[in-house]
Amino acid sequence: MNTKYFYLNTIGCQMNVYDSEQIAVRLATLGYEQTAAMDRADLIIVNTCTVRAKAEQKAFSFIGRLAKMKRNKRRLIIGVGGCMAQQEGQKILERMPCVDLVFGTQTIDRLTGMIQQIETRRCRIVDVHMNDTPEMPEFIKDSRPDNQVSKFVTIMRGCDNYCAYCVVPYVRGAETSREPQSILQEIQMLVDNGVREVTLLGQNVNSYGRKQNLVTFPELLAKINEIKGLLRIRFTTSHPKDLSAHLITAFRDLNKLCPHIHLPVQSGSNRILKRMNRKYTKEQYLDKVAKLRDTCSEIAITSDIIVGFPGETDADFKQTLELVKTVEYDGLFAFQYSDRPHAPSVKLPHKISEPLKRERLQSLLDLQETITKRKNKALVGSTQLILTDGLSKKQVSGEPQSTGQALQWTGRTATNKIVNFNVDPSAADTESLPGKLVGVRIDKAYSHSLFGKAMNAEPSDGGLKGVENYAA
Ligand code: 5AD
Ligand code: SF4
């Protein structure tokens, strides 16, 4: 039998990255092999996002390219999955005649059956069925070789928060948490395969387990912290209203929990926060930030902010800038508001013009850049403990080096900052560096990364947390 190939394009968030891996494992059971060469594929799947208008445009333009390919390759099967598939359903088949399959966010367990039907009957299928009490897709172990140091692990799906701008509750469905045992087993399996860091994923991990009366999120973290061989634990995303005192103390008590929290504020104006249905005030948010810093002084805090939410005045936006100056985030994802079908804010009056949104976005990004640069500069001269991911992009792409013979590696600080660094090839067993913790002296700071030199010849395996634990 000839090998069949599939090509998988993932757009959107980390949860889609995780889902794509689970899609890939299932396709392998049908005899498909993954390829990075799109023109070789017999099956192309695009896992889509719809959180902002731009992501949706990206998916449609990619499907447009596929339509051209299919003219010369009639047997090519094209599947569209994920959040945009859930939102648009049948409309995708109508708008895009090249598409054979539209599968929603709760259909991964039915995917192989649908592909088989299309293979044999050349039919077109739409399955965007959603359950009121969604079930977690069965986790299937990937036996294909994979040398990644860091992996995502989905611990819950869906969202019950209904922020006014957000489409997620409508396209991902109701919040459901995964059984702790299943999560622990998956992480153990990853660690056995060489993974050293996991990032736990959920739309709002702070409410993990609450609805189904499982363990709480801090309790789950404590269990994961026990897994031998795992060095670092991260998680995303946290809704500020549900950030508990117990979770704050976990940053002090759990040695593997990285001192970084992504705590999206969305706006610095109480009036806008109310219109967004965020259920906290700026004051309550700042209070939690202060508590986090009191408990864990080194903690890095990052955030999401939407500019130009309907009705946002200059005064509201100024308050967002003020909040950013007060908190001094380590990093910020800033977005121009975009109307999403289903999201309640579509109906809100006083929409902000595109040029004004652009202008606000730019001033917010400019402000954050000065803060990030200042924070990064403050690290120059310090020694940071880096979990090595692998060779840096520059090294992989074979660009000439400016620093003699030393190889350039890449990894992250516990606070999630990217650090590229040189290792003297004679000083360490560089083959085994990926997955190891290395003490790196920071020599240079840029806007989005740091650069330094490895100081300890022997990489460490220990589950150390941050700078203060490492004796250079
Ligand atoms: N417009 C702009 N940004 C949005 N986000 C979510 N919905 C919208 C929207 N309609 C942003 C929020 C969220 C991040 C993932 O995307 O900041 O935290
Ligand atoms: Fe995009 Fe949100 Fe869906 Fe993730 S969950 S793919 S960010 S719409």
Side-chain angles (χ1 to χ4, degrees):
M1 200 178 80
N2 284 345
T3 313
K4 299 182 288 185
Y5 291 99
F6 75 94
Y7 178 91
L8 187 51
N9 179 10
T10 306
I11 301 170
C13 67
Q14 294 116 320
M15 203 167 275
N16 270 10
V17 174
Y18 180 90
D19 283 351
S20 283
E21 284 182 6
Q22 284 295 302
I23 289 171
V25 191
R26 283 161 172 79
L27 296 179
T29 66
L30 293 180
Y32 282 94
E33 216 173 272
Q34 192 156 6
T35 176
M38 202 158 73
D39 53 2
R40 203 183 187 191
D42 305 285
L43 165 66
I44 299 180
I45 302 265
V46 49
N47 195 3
T48 60
C49 172
T50 182
V51 78
R52 289 175 296 275
K54 258 193 189 159
E56 202 170 299
Q57 286 151 13
K58 210 168 158 183
F60 275 118
S61 86
F62 179 71
I63 303 169
R65 273 170 65 199
L66 300 185
K68 290 200 190 103
M69 268 181 79
K70 197 159 172 171
R71 276 183 221 134
N72 302 320
K73 196 172 181 182
R74 303 296 290 272
R75 295 212 57 83
L76 176 66
I77 299 174
I78 298 174
V80 181
C83 295
M84 190 189 84
Q86 186 67 51
Q87 181 184 285
E88 299 296 311
Q90 178 73 27
K91 279 190 252 161
I92 297 179
L93 286 197
E94 286 156 18
R95 180 169 162 189
M96 297 287 192
C98 68
V99 173
D100 302 282
L101 169 66
V102 178
F103 61 104
T105 54
Q106 295 183 10
T107 64
I108 289 182
D109 279 335
R110 297 193 287 276
L111 181 62
T112 50
M114 293 191 271
I115 302 271
Q116 277 172 320
Q117 276 192 51
I118 294 169
E119 281 176 334
T120 50
R121 306 214 321 262
R122 293 308 307 187
C123 51
R124 300 176 88 198
I125 299 178
V126 179
D127 181 353
V128 287
H129 180 74
M130 281 217 275
N131 283 327
D132 293 341
T133 46
E135 279 170 23
M136 280 281 160
E138 187 195 351
F139 169 72
I140 301 186
K141 185 174 174 218
D142 195 349
S143 52
R144 300 173 304 165
D146 176 7
N147 298 323
Q148 276 169 267
V149 168
S150 181
K151 291 288 258 188
F152 299 125
V153 174
T154 293
I155 62 163
M156 56 202 297
R157 287 173 180 272
C159 182
D160 290 345
N161 284 313
Y162 296 95
C163 301
Y165 50 81
C166 188
V167 76
V168 170
Y170 309 92
V171 292
R172 287 247 174 214
E175 181 187 295
T176 324
S177 298
R178 186 171 162 196
E179 290 288 333
Q181 213 43 43
S182 158
I183 298 168
L184 291 166
Q185 273 165 8
E186 178 175 343
I187 299 175
Q188 184 63 62
M189 182 211 84
L190 293 173
V191 170
D192 292 344
N193 286 344
V195 167
R196 293 292 168 258
E197 174 183 89
V198 288
T199 303
L200 311 175
L201 300 180
Q203 246 66 51
N204 176 20
V205 293
N206 298 343
S207 59
Y208 172 84
R210 202 184 287 163
K211 219 164 134 184
Q212 289 135 285
N213 213 4
L214 306 170
V215 297
T216 66
F217 184 56
E219 284 164 354
L220 177 72
L221 286 173
K223 284 178 192 283
I224 297 172
N225 198 63
E226 308 264 289
I227 296 179
K228 285 211 176 63
L230 182 68
L231 300 180
R232 285 181 171 179
I233 308 167
R234 303 184 183 279
F235 62 81
T236 195
T237 281
S238 281
H239 195 304
K241 79 176 163 59
D242 296 313
L243 175 62
S244 66
H246 192 178
L247 183 57
I248 294 176
T249 51
F251 282 106
R252 183 194 62 204
D253 299 339
L254 302 179
N255 67 328
K256 295 179 187 175
L257 183 60
C258 287
H260 167 226
I261 187 163
H262 186 62
L263 198 63
V265 69
Q266 309 297 359
S267 168
S269 151
N270 284 339
R271 202 177 67 82
I272 296 298
L273 286 171
K274 194 149 200 256
R275 277 167 80 86
M276 287 178 164
N277 193 29
R278 288 292 284 176
K279 303 193 182 88
Y280 55 83
T281 61
K282 171 180 74 180
E283 291 75 19
Q284 286 165 333
Y285 181 91
L286 290 174
D287 185 50
K288 294 206 174 174
V289 166
K291 287 197 171 103
L292 280 162
R293 287 185 168 150
D294 280 351
T295 312
C296 176
S297 59
E298 59 178 327
I299 199 161
I301 303 179
T302 54
S303 198
D304 291 344
I305 287 180
I306 297 177
V307 301
F309 187 78
E312 184 186 68
T313 61
D314 282 342
D316 291 317
F317 178 61
K318 222 169 140 207
Q319 291 184 42
T320 296
L321 294 175
E322 287 307 316
L323 178 128
V324 169
K325 280 185 206 154
T326 308
V327 176
E328 298 201 306
Y329 288 111
D330 292 82
L332 187 62
F333 298 92
F335 310 104
Q336 293 182 46
Y337 168 81
S338 62
D339 266 341
R340 308 310 299 128
H342 303 299
S345 58
V346 169
K347 299 197 191 82
L348 286 178
H350 311 302
K351 294 275 157 61
I352 308 301
S353 72
E354 288 302 315
L356 186 54
K357 282 195 275 190
R358 261 200 305 276
E359 192 186 302
R360 287 182 182 166
L361 180 70
Q362 199 51 55
S363 54
L364 181 57
L365 292 174
D366 289 346
L367 168 63
Q368 182 56 43
E369 179 153 344
T370 56
I371 297 170
T372 316
K373 271 193 185 153
R374 188 164 67 236
K375 288 202 151 197
N376 282 353
K377 259 196 191 145
L379 295 174
V380 172
S382 74
T383 299
Q384 301 286 323
L385 202 56
I386 307 302
L387 180 62
T388 315
D389 270 332
L391 287 170
S392 75
K393 267 197 205 137
K394 176 175 154 183
Q395 203 73 59
V396 173
S397 63
E399 281 177 35
Q401 284 190 244
S402 54
T403 40
Q405 293 303 313
L407 284 172
Q408 197 179 111
W409 296 81
T410 189
R412 284 176 191 255
T413 61
T415 51
N416 211 28
K417 295 181 199 297
I418 297 172
V419 179
N420 297 311
F421 58 98
N422 287 333
V423 179
D424 184 349
S426 64
D429 168 14
T430 49
E431 291 272 300
S432 69
L433 268 180
K436 295 280 163 58
L437 289 165
V438 180
V440 172
R441 190 198 58 222
I442 306 299
D443 294 329
K444 285 185 194 151
Y446 304 105
S447 312
H448 300 287
S449 67
L450 299 158
F451 182 81
K453 186 171 188 317
M455 299 309 287
N456 56 341
E458 284 307 310
S460 149
D461 252 332
L464 305 177
K465 203 168 173 179
V467 209
E468 81 283 329
N469 290 333
Y470 174 70

